[in-house]
Amino acid sequence: MVNKSGEKMVNKLLNKSQLSIIKAIRNNPNITIAELGLETGLGHTAIQNNLNKMQELFVIERIGSGKTGYWKVK
């Protein structure tokens, strides 16, 4: 979802918290949930719920294991 029309569509589907999570993931694909909390100001549960929702929407993908993997923004 690189083109402008794709980005506009994603921006309509995602809320402000999810957009800030994506920004943090783009800066550091290896970011942890704890680090996402520090960067976004969200709690652990809120981050996990937002990550799950974005995975359901195929906006992000977890590559590898939970411990040694990384996030990929599609």
Side-chain angles (χ1 to χ4, degrees):
M1 296 186 188
V2 177
N3 65 13
K4 290 186 179 185
S5 62
E7 286 181 17
K8 287 180 183 177
M9 185 181 78
V10 168
N11 288 340
K12 289 182 181 180
L13 292 174
L14 303 179
N15 62 36
K16 191 175 181 179
S17 297
Q18 292 166 341
L19 292 173
S20 65
I21 290 171
I22 287 178
K23 182 180 176 184
I25 289 172
R26 282 186 175 151
N27 290 334
N28 178 9
N30 297 313
I31 197 165
T32 65
I33 290 177
E35 291 169 334
L36 280 170
L38 292 174
E39 284 203 32
T40 63
L42 298 171
H44 178 83
T45 304
I47 291 170
Q48 192 63 56
N49 289 340
N50 283 305
L51 289 172
N52 290 340
K53 180 67 176 177
M54 289 187 290
Q55 284 179 307
E56 289 172 11
L57 294 171
F58 301 104
V59 175
I60 61 171
E61 178 183 8
R62 183 72 181 177
I63 307 295
S65 70
K67 188 171 185 176
T68 61
Y70 63 93
W71 291 104
K72 179 180 177 184
V73 178
K74 295 183 175 186

